[in-house]
Amino acid sequence: EPEVTQTPSHQVTQMGQEVILRCVPISNHLYFYWYRQILGQKVEFLVSFYNNEISEKSEIFDDQFSVERPDGSNFTLKIRSTKLEDSAMYFCASSFLELNTQYFGPGTRLTVL
Amino acid sequence: AQSVTQPDIHITVSEGASLELRCNYSYGATPYLFWYVQSPGQGLQLLLKYFSGDTLVQGIKGFEAEFKRSQSSFNLRKPSVHWSDAAEYFCAVGAREGGSEKLVFGKGTKLTVNP
C-alpha cells in the first residue's frame, strides 16, 4: 500500500539554524500539507500546497517558513532560523483530491536546543 | 471558525469492554469528518471517515462512528477493546477556507486499556 514517507525521523538543531524537513507524498496525489504537533498539544495545520503554490497557510506559517516541491516526488518544509518554540513533531500529508482523505507520514520530531 | 471538541482527555477501559470516544464539531457547512489514531511515537493512521450517505461508517480494526447532524457529533465506538487499541485518538473535521481544505483536529483522547 502506498504511503507518505518523511525524513529524517528526528532532527536536533541549534536555535537560529536552518532546517529542511523532507517528505515524499503518495505518488499520484496532488495536494500536499504540513501540520505540526507540539508535545502534548493538538495537531495544527501549517500550510497546504497545490499546483506548485501555497493554497493556504495558517498564522503559524510566518516568513521563517517556506515550502517547496523541488522535483516530482519531494515536498519540503524549510525553517530559516529555528526558535525554541519550533520544537514539535512535523507531519506531512497528501491527498489525491481536495476535500478528500489526507494520508499522513510518520512525522519528523524537531528538537531545537 | 471550525472547531472540534473531544471532551475526554483520558479514558481507561478494560480489555474486552466496549468503548465510545466523543467528538463534537462546529462547522457551518456539511462536514467531512475523520478519526485518526496515533500510537506512541508513530504517525497518524486513518481509522474511518464520513463524507456523505450512511451516517454509520465502518473503519479499520473494528471501529465504527456515527454522524449525528442534530447533535453535531461524530462519536467513535468499538464493541470490544483489545490491548493493542491503547493509543491516542483524534477527531478531525475537513474545513474549507480560502479555497483550500485543511483538517482541524481536536485535542485528542488518550485510551488506556487494562488487562
Side-chain angles (χ1 to χ4, degrees):
Chain A
E1 184 176 326
E3 56 183 21
V4 177
T5 60
Q6 291 185 243
T7 54
S9 57
H10 192 186
Q11 173 97 42
V12 180
T13 189
Q14 295 291 324
M15 190 169 55
Q17 295 297 303
E18 174 183 287
V19 295
I20 296 176
L21 310 183
R22 291 183 167 80
C23 168
V24 178
I26 294 173
S27 62
N28 65 340
H29 284 187
L30 302 175
Y31 295 82
F32 313 111
Y33 310 85
W34 284 100
Y35 292 81
R36 80 172 185 189
Q37 184 184 30
I38 294 173
L39 187 64
Q41 299 186 25
K42 64 180 177 180
V43 178
E44 301 173 287
F45 169 80
L46 289 178
V47 66
S48 58
F49 190 86
Y50 169 71
N51 199 26
N52 284 319
E53 60 183 27
I54 291 174
S55 304
E56 187 183 354
K57 57 185 180 181
S58 72
E59 60 274 11
I60 302 168
F61 195 89
D62 61 22
D63 292 344
Q64 294 299 313
F65 291 87
S66 62
V67 289
E68 192 178 36
R69 189 155 162 82
D71 53 43
S73 59
N74 289 283
F75 180 51
T76 62
L77 173 69
K78 182 193 291 186
I79 309 175
R80 290 189 184 81
S81 178
T82 51
K83 307 182 192 70
L84 295 176
E85 54 265 36
D86 293 327
S87 295
M89 181 75 91
Y90 288 81
F91 292 106
C92 173
S94 69
S95 65
F96 178 59
L97 297 172
E98 203 175 21
L99 297 179
N100 207 324
T101 302
Q102 293 181 24
Y103 293 89
F104 284 76
T108 292
R109 180 166 296 285
L110 176 65
T111 301
V112 182
L113 302 176
Chain B
Q2 298 79 10
S3 65
V4 175
T5 301
Q6 293 180 248
D8 303 305
I9 296 172
H10 192 181
I11 284 183
T12 300
V13 299
S14 298
E15 191 168 16
S18 64
L19 172 70
E20 182 169 29
L21 302 182
R22 295 183 290 165
C23 172
N24 292 97
Y25 67 89
S26 172
Y27 186 53
T30 300
Y32 296 83
L33 295 160
F34 306 83
W35 275 98
Y36 286 86
V37 61
Q38 184 181 33
S39 298
Q42 303 297 310
L44 296 164
Q45 182 183 21
L46 179 71
L47 280 177
L48 48 76
K49 61 189 178 187
Y50 171 79
F51 282 1
S52 65
D54 193 345
T55 56
L56 184 63
V57 293
Q58 303 297 320
I60 62 172
K61 305 185 180 185
F63 285 92
E64 66 178 27
E66 186 171 12
F67 169 58
K68 293 185 177 180
R69 185 186 299 275
S70 61
Q71 299 177 20
S72 297
S73 69
F74 189 56
N75 294 348
L76 181 72
R77 300 193 294 250
K78 186 169 184 178
S80 178
V81 170
H82 188 262
W83 63 267
S84 61
D85 294 324
E88 190 148 22
Y89 292 79
F90 293 92
C91 181
V93 62
R96 188 165 192 176
E97 286 182 331
S100 175
E101 183 200 331
K102 63 181 179 184
L103 290 179
V104 176
F105 285 85
K107 291 186 176 180
T109 298
K110 184 176 180 180
L111 174 66
T112 297
V113 181
N114 287 334

